[in-house]
Amino acid sequence: MSSAHAQLPASMARAQLEALAADPGFEGPWARERAQLMAGATRPAAVLVLFGILDALPASAGHDRCAVSSDLDVLLLARATTLRSHAGQIAFPGGRVELGDRDIVAAALREAREETGLDPAGVDVLGALREIPVPVSGHLVTPVLAWWRRPSPVRAVDAAESSSVFRAPVADLLASENRRTSLTRRGGREWRGPAFVLADPRTGEERIVWGFTAGVLDAMFDRLGWTEPWDEGRIIDVPV
């Protein structure tokens, strides 16, 4: 869907997201590299990719040109800078699957509740996407796609795990002025991937969404037809 079309209402976005969750042809990010990455990822984990209808903070950029309604959002958090793995990164709520978890969906909901304080009773699970290898941390991560039917208050429950929890307007993520190509360097090698730059409407702090989270969002937006044209030559260096 391009900006020449009418905006997709947030209520219709749910149906598209549910169809995506049931799409066997959607491989997610790094489809061509999947076999190579699998060797370094063995520990099961889950993240909750939770979309809903934004309440207090409307989209601030590109909402008049965006393919989706300005009140559609996705729940994200900023990981604590003291963590050993993915410190300071913007992420979906989630974590490792534990022995007491009934299944991958239960793990995603439990982790989201523990990290953000959300009420799982207000969350409708739409389905699980294909698992994604993350060899940097050794995890095989399953994104659980969900819709926030009855939003509940969220916060950073444990400061040792996350520094903030926020609802990011999808229109701001899709706005061309907020799109970047991330560049990371490690061991003499370079990696490039999608990235999003967002400003916290309350503090003005700039947040960079990159890595796994940006890869999942970018792949989903492309498959859904929501992506707007943007300049992939706009590079942002991301320290690791």
Side-chain angles (χ1 to χ4, degrees):
M1 182 184 298
S2 71
S3 56
H5 293 72
Q7 285 189 341
L8 176 75
S11 57
M12 292 182 62
R14 171 178 172 143
Q16 287 199 350
L17 291 165
E18 191 165 11
L20 179 66
D23 182 358
F26 179 61
E27 294 188 283
W30 313 300
R32 286 177 293 183
E33 298 88 353
R34 183 179 298 276
Q36 178 184 354
L37 296 174
M38 278 290 190
T42 58
R43 294 179 291 182
V47 295
L48 187 68
V49 185
L50 180 59
F51 288 86
I53 297 178
L54 194 67
D55 48 7
L57 295 173
S60 61
H63 61 277
D64 56 337
R65 306 183 304 276
C66 185
V68 301
S69 172
S70 60
D71 59 0
L72 181 68
D73 72 358
V74 61
L75 183 66
L76 299 173
L77 57 81
R79 291 172 58 84
T81 57
T82 53
L83 292 173
R84 289 188 301 174
S85 178
H86 308 297
Q89 288 190 23
I90 305 301
F92 303 115
R96 293 183 188 178
V97 177
E98 298 183 355
L99 290 176
D101 293 323
R102 183 178 65 256
D103 52 26
I104 204 75
V105 170
L109 291 173
R110 174 187 53 76
E111 284 283 344
R113 178 180 55 80
E114 292 176 355
E115 292 182 331
T116 74
L118 67 75
D119 181 3
V123 174
D124 289 341
V125 174
L126 305 180
L129 302 180
R130 187 170 178 179
E131 56 191 12
I132 301 167
V134 185
V136 172
S137 60
H139 288 109
L140 196 59
V141 185
T142 299
V144 174
L145 195 52
W147 183 261
W148 219 348
R149 171 176 42 83
R150 189 174 66 247
S152 52
V154 291
R155 69 192 191 283
V157 174
D158 185 352
E161 292 288 336
S162 53
S163 59
S164 65
V165 175
F166 59 98
R167 300 173 63 173
V170 173
D172 284 352
L173 291 166
L174 293 172
S176 60
E177 59 265 36
N178 293 335
R179 299 298 308 267
R180 300 288 191 278
T181 294
S182 66
L183 175 62
T184 58
R185 299 179 176 89
R186 184 188 295 111
R189 300 181 63 187
E190 292 185 351
W191 288 268
R192 295 172 186 253
F196 306 84
V197 178
L198 296 177
D200 186 326
R202 296 184 177 91
T203 66
E205 177 187 3
E206 187 178 82
R207 295 186 171 111
I208 302 172
V209 186
W210 65 286
F212 175 88
T213 305
V216 171
L217 289 171
D218 178 71
M220 288 181 59
F221 294 159
D222 280 353
R223 188 74 171 191
L224 290 164
W226 294 358
T227 301
E228 298 293 320
W230 62 285
D231 182 3
E232 296 185 23
R234 300 180 70 186
I235 306 295
I236 186 167
D237 285 295
V238 180
V240 293

